[in-house]
Amino acid sequence: LLHDDLLMVRELSEQLGVQAVIASLPMEIGLHGLEWYDYRSQTTAPLSAALIETIEQGVVSEIFLTDRQHEGSPAGFESTLIELFPNQKIPLIAFGGISKAEQISTLLTLPNVAAVSIGNFLNYREHAIQKLKEVLVSAALRPPNYATEYPFLNNV
């Protein structure tokens, strides 16, 4: 829907509530800087002004930001994607190439990263989640942010 019908995304947000709508954006760094990947056409393009405006209007609660180029690569997530993302206030969920506790800890110290998501790196490894938790439990992570702390959600 983000590629085809932003009005429908807005309507879903109004009907379901902004907290129920997360924008999934597979991104990469290309010739023109930050580029949005379209899996259907297998092409990239810069984020459209209309999509950026929709995000800034608080139609989605978070961005699921996928490092498309490094998905499946151990410790491959490119943090420059976060730095280049045009809206530094909307919470981001980082995904793609995240496999190490140190990497998770570093990403979670970035002010606009609300969470990280790990895919197959937790599969086929004994006690993978427990080992990550052991390392992260002592990490000095920032306290949680709640919706009232995000000004763009106040008018939704």
Side-chain angles (χ1 to χ4, degrees):
L1 281 178
L2 293 172
H3 283 284
D4 300 330
D5 193 348
L6 291 175
L7 183 59
M8 177 62 78
V9 174
R10 186 176 305 278
E11 289 175 14
L12 284 171
S13 180
E14 289 171 4
Q15 290 180 12
L16 300 173
V18 69
Q19 78 286 350
V21 183
I22 297 173
S24 179
L25 300 177
M27 305 296 294
E28 61 184 62
I29 299 171
L31 297 175
H32 306 289
L34 191 63
E35 296 182 351
W36 183 21
Y37 186 73
D38 184 338
Y39 283 103
R40 297 171 303 174
S41 64
Q42 298 183 0
T43 60
T44 61
L47 292 170
S48 69
L51 177 60
I52 293 170
E53 180 182 346
T54 299
I55 290 168
E56 289 177 348
Q57 291 173 347
V59 174
V60 299
S61 61
E62 292 125 353
I63 303 289
F64 189 83
L65 183 73
T66 301
D67 182 346
R68 195 209 61 93
Q69 290 177 306
H70 298 105
E71 208 173 349
S73 301
F77 187 87
E78 179 58 64
S79 60
T80 307
L81 292 171
I82 293 168
E83 296 165 18
L84 293 176
F85 198 78
N87 185 318
Q88 293 295 310
K89 293 184 179 152
I90 188 155
L92 301 176
I93 301 169
F95 178 74
I98 299 172
S99 62
K100 306 262 186 234
E102 302 80 23
Q103 183 183 29
I104 296 167
S105 185
T106 299
L107 285 168
L108 290 174
T109 63
L110 299 174
N112 55 332
V113 175
V116 297
S117 180
I118 303 172
N120 288 330
F121 288 111
L122 297 177
N123 293 336
Y124 312 113
R125 294 188 184 151
E126 193 167 347
H127 307 296
I129 293 173
Q130 291 84 349
K131 290 177 183 176
L132 278 176
K133 285 182 177 181
E134 285 174 8
V135 174
L136 292 173
V137 75
S138 63
L141 302 177
R142 70 182 184 280
N145 291 322
Y146 298 99
T148 57
E149 296 177 31
Y150 295 109
F152 66 89
L153 291 177
N154 290 338
N155 59 358
V156 178

